[in-house]
Amino acid sequence: MFSMFKNLDPELIGIGSRDSELIELALSYGFKGLSLDLPSFAEQARTQGFAKASRLITSAKMKIGFCALPVRLGAEEKEYQRDLEQAVGLLEVAEQMQCTRLTATIEPGSDTRPYHENFELHRRRLADVAGRLQTRKMRLGLGFLAPIQCRADKAFQFVQSFHELLLLVGAVGSSNLGICLDTWHWHVGGGSIESLRSVSADKVVAVVLSDESDEASPKTARLETRKLPGEGGNIDNLAVLAALADLRYDGPVSPAADKSQFAGVARDKVVKMAGAALDQVWKAAGLSPSGKMAVAGGR
């Protein structure tokens, strides 16, 4: 039976992630999962021992929602190979923590490679990375950056819309490669509910919900205006959650907003705000606390 669950990713709301207080806050405000900073956690496991580093998460029975894969897919070859070598140890730690979902963001431009060359480079590298993850029964979800702000200084443009992201995933063709659906970038990049419904559930690795108060386009959108879900009114996160329920998506759903939205706000209040915002859209979409569709629409 499919089941979405509320996940806390500290980086997505601009807060630190290294101590036990965060786990307590996550539990207090309704989160069932937590995203790990792999390099930071692996260092704790190295210095303290894995049992001690993982003790609080294990005792709290928190799921590991997803982890960012620290591999720069568009880097020069030497840097890319170095990242791969360093990732081996990190993946071992992720495996020990039963983290089966990883995410990576495609850079929206390049100074050295035209679009078609960059596309082929990413196709090859993603096939390689997906193959390495497949042996560990891990999945990789790709995200993209929609605003021109993110690529303004690049000589050549690259993936910057939901349609292009799906084309890249399809060109790779790996069964364990899919998308990280970030509704802010999805919306700014021209995504639609129809295009989302065309994606099979096994291709949705992770979900991130945000909102926007303006009719943002790639030309006008600014990362600084990214708000918590339900706080802007221009991104239909309710329809997204309903579509995901219909698709039988089974995985983490994380709230996100630019850290400037929380200027001067204490960390515990930030987590509380994020949890309350996610709860509001969760209930409005007709989802039960366990992440299943509780009203008509989830068959």
Side-chain angles (χ1 to χ4, degrees):
M1 185 68 175
F2 83 97
S3 179
M4 290 180 263
F5 63 90
K6 301 171 188 176
N7 184 69
L8 177 63
D9 185 323
E11 185 175 349
L12 290 175
I13 51 176
I15 63 174
S17 60
R18 291 201 61 174
D19 58 48
S20 58
E21 181 190 356
L22 188 63
I23 298 172
E24 295 173 4
L25 289 172
L27 291 171
S28 297
Y29 298 118
F31 293 97
K32 304 299 184 184
L34 185 69
S35 290
L36 285 182
D37 179 331
L38 265 183
S40 175
F41 182 81
E43 178 61 18
Q44 292 180 57
R46 186 187 68 81
T47 58
Q48 303 174 10
F50 178 80
K52 184 175 181 180
S54 62
R55 177 175 51 83
L56 290 173
I57 296 175
T58 302
S59 62
K61 297 183 179 179
M62 295 287 288
K63 299 179 182 179
I64 302 301
F66 61 88
C67 301
L69 179 68
V71 174
R72 293 165 290 178
L73 294 166
E76 295 305 313
E77 188 63 23
K78 287 184 179 180
E79 295 173 333
Y80 170 69
Q81 292 297 335
R82 188 183 307 120
D83 285 354
L84 281 182
E85 291 175 11
Q86 294 175 347
V88 172
L90 299 178
L91 291 178
E92 290 176 355
V93 172
E95 197 169 25
Q96 285 181 285
M97 288 301 295
Q98 299 182 348
C99 174
T100 61
R101 300 169 191 257
L102 300 168
T103 62
T105 302
I106 302 296
E107 289 297 322
S110 170
D111 285 328
T112 59
R113 291 183 294 270
Y115 194 105
H116 66 285
E117 291 182 12
N118 213 6
F119 192 95
E120 177 58 20
L121 178 78
H122 278 75
R123 187 195 65 77
R124 292 198 315 269
R125 288 181 174 178
L126 284 166
D128 176 32
V129 171
R132 293 168 185 255
L133 296 179
Q134 184 74 67
T135 61
R136 299 177 183 271
K137 298 182 179 180
M138 292 178 173
R139 300 163 62 196
L140 178 64
L142 297 181
F144 69 98
L145 302 173
I148 286 178
Q149 171 194 19
C150 298
R151 60 183 186 274
D153 61 342
K154 299 298 182 182
F156 302 103
Q157 295 186 20
F158 193 43
V159 172
Q160 55 201 37
S161 71
F162 190 61
H163 174 69
E164 290 172 305
L165 184 69
L166 294 181
L167 286 177
L168 179 58
V169 170
V172 177
S174 298
S175 61
N176 63 325
L177 180 67
I179 64 170
C180 174
L181 176 66
D182 183 317
T183 60
W184 193 84
H185 291 285
W186 168 81
H187 173 79
V188 171
S192 65
I193 293 297
E194 291 72 23
S195 63
L196 176 58
R197 288 187 180 277
S198 72
V199 181
S200 59
D202 64 325
K203 288 297 182 184
V204 185
V205 177
V207 174
V208 176
L209 300 186
S210 293
D211 209 342
E212 175 60 63
S213 58
D214 298 318
E215 285 292 347
S217 69
K219 290 184 178 179
T220 62
R222 305 289 299 177
L223 295 172
E224 296 81 10
T225 64
R226 175 172 162 129
K227 301 179 183 298
L228 287 170
E231 292 189 350
N234 265 311
I235 299 180
D236 196 348
N237 286 299
L238 304 188
V240 169
L241 288 174
L244 291 169
D246 282 343
L247 291 172
R248 296 296 193 267
Y249 168 66
D250 186 350
V253 179
S254 308
D258 189 78
K259 63 181 180 180
S260 63
Q261 300 291 320
F262 308 113
V265 180
R267 186 171 65 160
D268 60 338
K269 182 67 179 299
V270 172
V271 177
K272 182 179 181 180
M273 291 168 63
L278 186 56
D279 280 345
Q280 184 175 9
V281 296
W282 197 268
K283 293 174 183 176
L287 290 173
S288 68
S290 62
K292 299 177 178 65
M293 186 58 73
V295 297
R299 293 177 293 278

